[in-house]
Amino acid sequence: RVRLRTDVELPVWARRATNTPPGITTATGVPRQLRACSFNMKFPGQGSKKQYQAMVDMLSDYDVVFIQELVSAPFDRTINGVMRKAYPGARTLFTLMEDHGFQYALSDEKTGKADNKDNTNHSEYFVAFYKDAVLRYDRDRSGFIDAPLVANATFDRVPWAFHFTTADATLDFTVTSVHTAQESDQVARRQGELMRTAQYAANASEKDQIILGDMNFQRCDEVQGGVPSGFVTLNATCEITNVGRDGKPFDHVLYRPTFTDNDLVPNSFVVLDLVELMRPYWTDPDMDYPAPPGANANTFASYFSDHKPIEFRMVYGVRDDD
């Protein structure tokens, strides 16, 4: 991989308390917690203002991080005879994550509504960053869940399923990262995308199936009608996950209680307050911190994102039940 170095020293992030539920510890030989995060980072790789160091420091304590809206691979690549030059920002993001101990699992190709032959935001990669001291990525059991990858009849962006096994082999699971249709009037298309993703999960040999990411739900009633049968959302209280004037419950983690209830740490779903977490990193003396809401939302997104990261935890360290 191409590696970039930086001499900028990051401030120490005042991290939240773990709020470990009773009976769950991190001691050797007993159940442990796997910390997972999903984050639509708003076109990482594109533009020159992104504060990657701040966001990577925020993500550094997780065991696995799923990113949506990645518009460039971290390296130049030729696919179907087309050379794609990597955006410097993508290289920076991947290098900084690697410096924090992460490996990465990257979809083979981009996927989008009309094109996937350039590095614009018309199409995206799916990526998961993970720590191999905790997780092992199974490439043979991972991949896009449908085809074609461009102008798909069901999906605006065909989801990628990531299969992981913990390093101690006590838990394996599949996480399908999604970014559904975004227009407010595309309720039926979003429902169709999630139903097809749920069908993929139902037909898989792995029973622990999680669907997460930017689902673009516009209202709580759409959440109630859009979650596929057999699944529930960890964002059951319909918390707002975008950054801006009009709060939307965009981001969710879906799972099947029948198979995965006992693998999730109760009450561990958290929506991170990205605006406040990034505030200590702002160092521009010529510009006030662009804290939303209002007109500052777009400015804030150019430096950070228009979505808040979401967090949940899983239990491992005991025998897998499937």
Side-chain angles (χ1 to χ4, degrees):
R1 305 176 202 168
V2 178
R3 292 180 54 79
L4 301 179
R5 308 300 300 185
T6 177
D7 296 322
V8 179
E9 184 177 354
L10 292 174
V12 176
W13 179 41
R15 304 185 187 279
R16 300 179 312 282
T18 59
N19 297 322
T20 303
I24 304 297
T25 74
T26 56
T28 302
V30 298
R32 285 158 282 176
Q33 291 187 38
L34 183 154
R35 295 188 64 201
C37 179
S38 176
F39 186 20
N40 180 328
M41 201 179 274
K42 183 65 173 178
F43 307 143
Q46 193 177 65
S48 59
K49 295 181 179 180
K50 285 289 187 189
Q51 302 296 296
Y52 293 108
Q53 292 179 311
M55 291 188 288
V56 167
D57 188 60
M58 174 185 68
L59 300 170
S60 63
D61 279 350
Y62 291 102
D63 299 305
V64 61
V65 178
F66 300 90
I67 299 291
Q68 296 90 42
E69 287 200 359
L70 175 67
V71 296
S72 167
F75 45 79
D76 298 344
R77 63 191 316 196
T78 300
I79 299 179
N80 297 328
V82 179
M83 168 59 74
R84 301 182 195 168
K85 301 291 289 184
Y87 285 149
R91 296 183 183 184
T92 300
L93 171 63
F94 278 65
T95 297
L96 289 172
M97 290 295 280
E98 187 178 63
D99 287 345
H100 280 283
F102 288 94
Q103 305 292 318
Y104 68 82
L106 181 68
S107 63
D108 294 340
E109 181 51 289
K110 296 183 77 179
T111 177
K113 291 185 288 186
D115 180 67
N116 67 344
K117 294 295 186 288
D118 60 27
N119 281 343
T120 70
N121 56 23
H122 295 150
S123 55
E124 304 170 19
Y125 292 94
F126 287 102
V127 64
F129 294 98
Y130 65 97
K131 293 180 178 173
D132 63 1
V134 179
L135 287 173
R136 305 294 162 80
Y137 177 57
D138 189 336
R139 176 62 186 82
D140 292 339
R141 297 179 65 181
S142 303
F144 285 112
I145 71 170
D146 201 7
L149 301 182
V150 176
N152 189 282
T154 302
F155 296 102
D156 277 17
R157 307 157 192 88
V158 178
W160 180 276
F162 299 88
H163 189 80
F164 287 103
T165 303
T166 55
D168 65 1
T170 60
L171 176 67
D172 68 333
F173 56 95
T174 296
V175 172
T176 301
S177 188
V178 305
H179 185 187
T180 66
Q182 66 189 45
E183 300 302 329
S184 59
D185 61 353
Q186 293 182 296
V187 175
R189 185 163 178 86
R190 283 190 286 275
Q191 290 178 339
E193 289 182 282
L194 291 173
M195 286 179 60
R196 174 66 184 87
T197 307
Q199 290 169 357
Y200 167 85
N203 292 329
S205 58
E206 174 58 50
K207 299 303 183 185
D208 289 322
Q209 295 281 337
I210 294 171
I211 304 169
L212 56 67
D214 179 3
M215 300 183 187
N216 276 309
F217 289 136
Q218 302 293 305
R219 303 173 304 278
C220 291
D221 60 344
E222 186 184 347
V223 175
Q224 295 164 3
V227 174
S229 177
F231 282 81
V232 297
T233 176
L234 288 179
N235 190 1
T237 57
C238 202
E239 292 189 51
I240 302 306
T241 67
N242 71 322
V243 176
R245 180 183 292 121
D246 300 321
K248 306 286 186 180
F250 282 155
D251 300 87
H252 288 258
V253 179
L254 312 183
Y255 75 100
R256 298 184 294 183
T258 301
F259 301 105
T260 310
D261 240 355
N262 60 328
D263 297 312
L264 294 167
V265 176
N267 303 314
S268 65
F269 180 82
V270 176
V271 178
L272 278 65
D273 188 342
L274 186 67
V275 175
E276 291 309 309
L277 290 173
M278 295 297 97
R279 188 185 296 273
Y281 292 90
W282 191 255
T283 59
D284 189 341
D286 299 319
M287 178 179 172
D288 291 338
Y289 182 58
N296 282 338
N298 289 336
T299 302
F300 180 88
S302 69
Y303 288 97
F304 304 105
S305 180
D306 56 351
H307 284 248
K308 302 173 185 178
I310 56 176
E311 170 188 331
F312 67 102
R313 282 176 274 169
M314 302 182 75
V315 178
Y316 71 104
V318 294
R319 183 176 61 86
D320 195 6
D321 58 6
D322 67 353

